[in-house]
Amino acid sequence: MASVPATPRLPALAASILFGGSGGGSARGGALQTSRARGGMISFVVEGQTFELPRTLLAVHSPGWADRLAKDPTLREVSLPEASASSFGAFEKFLRGVDGEEGEVTARNVKDVLYWGEELGIDHLPTQCESFLLTCNERTFTPQQFLELSARHNMPLL
């Protein structure tokens, strides 16, 4: 399966700064747990499931969220009542750059990455997804679906 890396892999020092430990980790423990204890996480509640993202990571990728988090430093939880937990979960894994396919743009997550990138104001994701779609050898999408994705997410090269 062809894929494009989700984000450049962070050097160990940068990951340590962002995630509050030795880099990487899961929301249940490790480096992200340390960051959470210092108040560095924001929780998104979707269909009763909680997804945590480092505030710094969200702010770096989204100017809108950077402003929102700066204006309300006590914001710790956001409820997304109309959202799909599986869709947001795919996006959250991608944005955190987890190891393996889930941390990359793939045919399985490209629609979720585009949708949540737009919802959260992460402007660079359409370009990244467009690059993936241009090089994807899978026949996952019909020509009409390509056209719809292109028009909705401003991907003129499709």
Side-chain angles (χ1 to χ4, degrees):
M1 175 180 304
S3 61
V4 174
T7 56
R9 296 289 180 211
L10 297 173
L13 179 59
S16 175
I17 292 167
L18 283 174
F19 297 111
S22 60
S26 71
R28 298 186 196 281
L32 290 181
Q33 186 68 28
T34 302
S35 181
R36 180 177 174 213
R38 291 194 309 230
M41 302 299 280
I42 186 163
S43 299
F44 290 87
V45 180
V46 185
E47 293 184 332
Q49 294 183 41
T50 301
F51 300 91
E52 293 185 332
L53 287 171
R55 294 170 66 90
T56 307
L57 183 67
L58 190 56
V60 165
H61 286 285
S62 172
W65 273 94
D67 289 345
R68 183 173 179 183
L69 293 171
K71 288 177 183 171
D72 186 359
T74 62
L75 180 64
R76 296 285 179 251
E77 185 174 293
V78 176
S79 180
L80 302 172
E82 301 298 319
S84 158
S86 63
S87 174
F88 192 85
F91 170 78
E92 178 257 350
K93 289 175 185 170
F94 164 81
L95 190 63
R96 284 191 299 114
V98 299
D99 288 335
E101 192 174 275
E102 292 177 321
E104 302 175 357
V105 176
T106 65
R108 282 188 289 242
N109 72 6
V110 68
K111 288 182 178 180
D112 298 321
V113 168
L114 285 166
Y115 175 80
W116 288 108
E118 182 178 344
E119 288 293 310
L120 298 177
I122 303 174
D123 297 336
H124 67 85
L125 293 182
T127 303
Q128 194 169 350
C129 291
E130 182 179 47
S131 294
F132 165 75
L133 291 167
L134 287 169
T135 59
C136 179
N137 293 327
E138 296 179 36
R139 301 272 182 219
T140 306
F141 303 103
T142 66
Q144 182 179 353
Q145 289 172 320
F146 272 113
L147 184 59
E148 289 171 3
L149 286 171
S150 174
R152 178 178 174 114
H153 299 285
N154 193 25
M155 296 186 289
L157 299 178
L158 287 183

